Amino acid sequence: MSERMLPFVVEHDGSDTPVVVRVGAERAQIRKMLTERGAALLRGFEVGSVDGFDAVVRALSGAPLTYSERSSPRSTIKGQVYTSTDYPPAEEIFLHNENSYQATWPQTLFFYCIQPALTQGATPLADIREVYRRIDPAVREEFRRRKWMVVRNFHVDFGHRWSHVFNTEDRAEVEAYCRPRGIRLEWRDDGGLRTTAIRDAIHRHPRSGEEVWFNHATFFHVTTLAPEIQEGLRSMFDDADLPTNTYFGDGGPIPDDVVAHLRAGYRAASTRFDYERDDILVVDNMLAAHGREPFTGPRKVAVAMAEPSA
């Protein structure tokens, strides 16, 4: 485990100072520690509501972003504050960097614990600088050279509909969105859509200058799904028609053992903590991957995204 990945904790000092005032006063220090540690935890404050959470986001990072090119089910709570991924509680969500499959992505993520789970339910974190170091150099260099490709199939009667993902029913609007973002489209005869995008696997952090392993190649690969889900999907679809899958950027398959090696690197670099009510976790999206543990009980965590990459 990378010691610097442990979230920097900003604790309530017992005063009457509201959290948004404290964050505003210590913004420079929090931002500095966020770049060093990858995550910060605001703990012990009375956030009080989604409005209070939104105010903290704005104090630290400016206006929150709209969730676009959706890859997971979320519900809007208010404005640009969303539920965390609405997957069944028994399922793990593997570590990933938010929207790293897109041409631009949020630099900063915010998680607000409205209701902790009874058991588990953490947002595990992995320092992706450490993930990068743990990957076999030959594997890293192959991805640097070949890049990676994400293929998404939006079926009419299964999974996410393209209209939900792109927030429009207008095909022309989808095409206008995708074209400048390097997303190739293929409209299917049955009304579905296939999209393909080729992205870099390794990026350089804009403030620290460090090289980071920043991609969805592992998360979107079919073998990262639970075995029973893999089996179910492959019984329904050919690999080319799976809802999501990844390849090398030239279209070549990523060997299963390579993806297993990448998953092991994420897990070895990961750490966790238990949420407390009113916790706000702030994550530098290019320094820390995040996931979700399975859980029991009425867990409710709100999410906001801010600071679009250049």
Side-chain angles (χ1 to χ4, degrees):
M1 181 191 302
S2 171
E3 289 300 323
R4 65 179 176 177
M5 185 57 249
L6 296 173
F8 170 64
V9 181
V10 180
E11 291 189 280
H12 180 46
D13 59 9
S15 72
D16 294 332
T17 304
V19 59
V20 68
V21 174
R22 176 85 177 272
V23 167
E26 299 183 16
R27 184 180 186 278
Q29 174 65 9
I30 293 171
R31 297 305 302 242
K32 178 176 180 292
M33 293 305 298
L34 197 58
T35 301
E36 291 180 11
R37 298 278 285 271
L41 178 64
L42 311 181
R43 170 160 285 180
F45 297 93
E46 288 190 19
V47 180
S49 67
V50 168
D51 287 337
F53 173 54
D54 180 83
V56 170
V57 174
R58 292 173 185 274
L60 196 59
S61 293
L65 304 175
T66 300
Y67 183 40
S68 61
E69 273 185 71
R70 300 173 180 228
S71 64
S72 58
R74 299 184 194 271
S75 305
T76 300
I77 298 175
K78 186 175 183 180
Q80 278 70 54
V81 176
Y82 304 89
T83 60
S84 58
T85 302
D86 297 329
Y87 280 140
E91 294 183 15
E92 176 195 35
I93 299 174
F94 192 74
L95 293 152
H96 60 285
N97 299 91
E98 196 67 32
N99 295 3
S100 65
Y101 56 92
Q102 296 186 14
T104 60
W105 50 84
Q107 276 288 150
T108 310
L109 311 176
F110 294 80
F111 299 86
Y112 169 42
C113 181
I114 299 169
Q115 173 66 56
L118 290 178
T119 62
Q120 294 187 275
T123 297
L125 302 170
D127 183 341
I128 57 171
R129 295 166 291 195
E130 181 67 17
V131 174
Y132 177 89
R133 287 190 287 270
R134 288 177 176 274
I135 296 171
D136 184 318
V139 171
R140 286 201 312 251
E141 293 311 306
E142 185 166 22
F143 273 97
R144 190 193 302 275
R145 176 171 53 86
R146 298 175 71 180
K147 305 187 178 184
W148 73 286
M149 174 190 293
V150 57
V151 177
R152 304 181 70 187
N153 287 286
F154 305 104
H155 298 283
V156 173
D157 54 359
F158 184 89
H160 300 304
R161 289 181 54 82
W162 59 261
S163 57
H164 175 70
V165 169
F166 293 103
N167 297 312
T168 180
E169 297 279 353
D170 188 333
R171 291 190 178 194
E173 285 187 22
V174 176
E175 293 170 0
Y177 176 90
C178 291
R179 194 176 302 113
R181 292 170 173 83
I183 303 171
R184 189 170 72 247
L185 293 89
E186 180 184 344
W187 296 106
R188 313 306 296 270
D189 291 341
D190 63 359
L193 171 66
R194 175 179 292 160
T195 65
T196 305
I198 299 169
R199 307 296 188 201
D200 288 328
I202 297 169
H203 292 255
R204 194 169 292 278
H205 192 274
R207 288 186 294 276
S208 74
E210 296 166 286
E211 284 196 319
V212 293
W213 183 254
F214 184 79
N215 58 75
H216 259 63
T218 307
F219 182 83
F220 276 160
H221 197 271
V222 63
T223 63
T224 299
L225 295 169
E228 63 274 15
I229 298 176
Q230 289 182 50
E231 183 179 345
L233 287 173
R234 280 177 152 161
S235 71
M236 298 169 63
F237 303 109
D238 293 334
D239 275 15
D241 292 322
L242 288 167
T244 311
N245 204 4
T246 60
Y247 306 85
F248 284 114
D250 54 17
I254 305 172
D256 289 358
D257 63 334
V258 170
V259 185
H261 169 63
L262 297 175
R263 283 195 297 269
Y266 281 100
R267 293 200 188 279
S270 69
T271 187
R272 70 175 301 284
F273 65 91
D274 288 315
Y275 274 125
E276 296 179 6
R277 189 185 301 273
D278 270 349
D279 276 353
I280 294 180
L281 174 65
V282 188
V283 176
D284 183 314
N285 189 37
M286 289 192 73
L287 293 181
H290 67 279
R292 191 203 72 185
E293 293 178 343
F295 66 91
T296 63
R299 178 187 190 270
K300 188 172 183 181
V301 175
V303 175
M305 297 163 270
E307 300 177 61
S309 62

